[in-house]
Amino acid sequence: MLVSISWLKDHLSDQDIILLDTRPKTMFLYGHIPKSQSLTIDQVIQFDQFGSNLVADENKIAELFGSLGIDDSKTVIIIGDSMDPSAARIAWTLLYFGHEKTFLLDATIMDLQKNGFELTKKPFTSQPAKFIPKIKSEIRVDAIQLKDNLSKFTVLDARTPQEFMGGHIPHSKLIPFTDGIAYDGKLFQTRDFLENLFSQSNVSKENEIVCYCMHGHRASSLFLQLMIAGYQNIKLYDGSFVDWYGRRLPLE
């Protein structure tokens, strides 16, 4: 899921690379690395009657990703900041719609500058492509599926302890997404660190795991941390707590 700064330096001129900067648009316009395009989190979600942030409509996503030049031949590199889960949410969205060549740059914009990358304000537009969604339904769960199979899932809450204590999905375990974040210019802690983190919380690789938070963004970060740690049976509840609470489903 991760690529290094040195990898990016070696492949920056490759024709099959798409760079997506997931920071807020104003930050992107202030300065970004050459060949990168802006893609913000609000472009890949849609709202329902409860205010939940749900994965966007398939046709909208096909048009959006195609306009960014993404097709099966392209390798997508997502650029973001460690404490902002937007990059993780966008990465999960690409994976959900079947784009397997999806990677996150394991560094921040500031770290790129420290390593010789110059920022530009010049816009870049990829040649449009035809993106064909191939939905991976196995990495997403909705409220009804979760409610009906609650005892079968290991449910992980990626929010803060304060949010968790204020009410959470029954039988869920608290693992704040920040526990797996690195603070040295990289996005995530090492695989060994993450494996130990989840092992200490008795999260088995044999179980089906569901991640949630308030809206699904922080849970996407936890989802990717689990992937890095070698877990495979992972799902995102993208409606998350807002959806669960809006449906008046049981809480602890």
Side-chain angles (χ1 to χ4, degrees):
M1 281 301 302
L2 303 175
V3 297
S4 65
I5 289 177
S6 60
W7 186 95
L8 184 61
K9 282 183 176 179
D10 292 341
H11 294 85
L12 192 59
S13 61
D14 291 2
Q15 295 301 308
D16 62 347
I17 296 292
I18 300 289
L19 303 178
L20 300 179
D21 189 321
T22 64
R23 296 173 301 153
K25 190 76 171 182
T26 51
M27 296 180 68
F28 175 82
L29 293 173
Y30 186 77
H32 52 270
I33 66 171
K35 285 189 65 178
S36 61
Q37 302 173 89
S38 176
L39 179 61
T40 56
I41 199 165
D42 59 291
Q43 294 176 267
V44 300
I45 59 173
Q46 60 188 6
F47 299 99
D48 68 2
Q49 68 269 34
F50 305 119
S52 308
N53 292 190
L54 301 177
V55 63
D57 174 77
E58 181 178 347
N59 292 329
K60 177 185 174 182
I61 288 292
E63 181 179 352
L64 173 63
F65 288 171
S67 72
L68 294 167
I70 303 172
D71 60 25
D72 284 347
S73 70
K74 302 299 193 301
T75 296
V76 177
I77 309 299
I78 298 171
I79 303 167
D81 286 320
S82 57
M83 288 301 293
D84 182 359
S86 298
R89 176 68 183 213
I90 288 171
W92 177 87
T93 303
L94 279 155
L95 293 173
Y96 176 68
F97 284 103
H99 195 75
E100 295 184 1
K101 297 179 182 178
T102 298
F103 300 89
L104 285 92
L105 178 67
D106 196 18
T108 65
I109 287 288
M110 186 176 296
D111 206 44
L112 284 172
Q113 289 179 279
K114 291 177 181 177
N115 283 270
F117 280 83
E118 294 186 4
L119 302 187
T120 180
K121 295 182 180 180
K122 184 178 179 180
F124 174 81
T125 303
S126 287
Q127 185 72 23
K130 185 174 181 59
F131 181 84
I132 302 174
K134 298 180 286 290
I135 291 177
K136 294 182 64 176
S137 58
E138 65 271 20
I139 68 169
R140 179 179 181 265
V141 69
D142 61 26
I144 303 306
Q145 291 171 309
L146 182 56
K147 178 180 70 71
D148 291 346
N149 297 279
L150 203 52
S151 62
K152 299 178 183 178
F153 292 134
T154 296
V155 183
L156 304 182
D157 189 322
R159 299 177 300 162
T160 65
Q162 293 81 5
E163 289 172 298
F164 184 81
M165 290 176 64
H168 53 267
I169 294 175
H171 313 302
S172 56
K173 298 181 179 183
L174 174 65
I175 305 183
F177 89 102
T178 49
D179 287 358
I181 293 297
Y183 299 93
D184 57 357
K186 296 184 180 296
L187 292 189
F188 301 118
Q189 297 283 1
T190 64
R191 174 171 177 149
D192 287 347
F193 180 100
L194 293 171
E195 280 193 291
N196 187 56
L197 171 66
F198 299 129
S199 176
Q200 287 181 345
S201 297
N202 296 316
V203 181
S204 171
K205 291 184 178 180
E206 303 303 316
N207 293 349
E208 281 194 284
I209 300 166
V210 172
C211 303
Y212 81 97
C213 57
M214 189 63 73
H215 294 286
H217 310 329
R218 290 173 287 177
S220 297
S221 178
L222 191 61
F223 179 99
L224 296 183
Q225 292 172 33
L226 286 157
M227 282 189 66
I228 293 167
Y231 289 76
Q232 295 182 346
N233 299 319
I234 324 162
K235 302 178 186 293
L236 176 73
Y237 176 19
D238 66 331
S240 278
F241 189 82
V242 169
D243 181 62
W244 189 270
Y245 181 81
R247 295 173 184 274
R248 298 297 185 262
L249 293 171
L251 296 173
E252 286 185 346

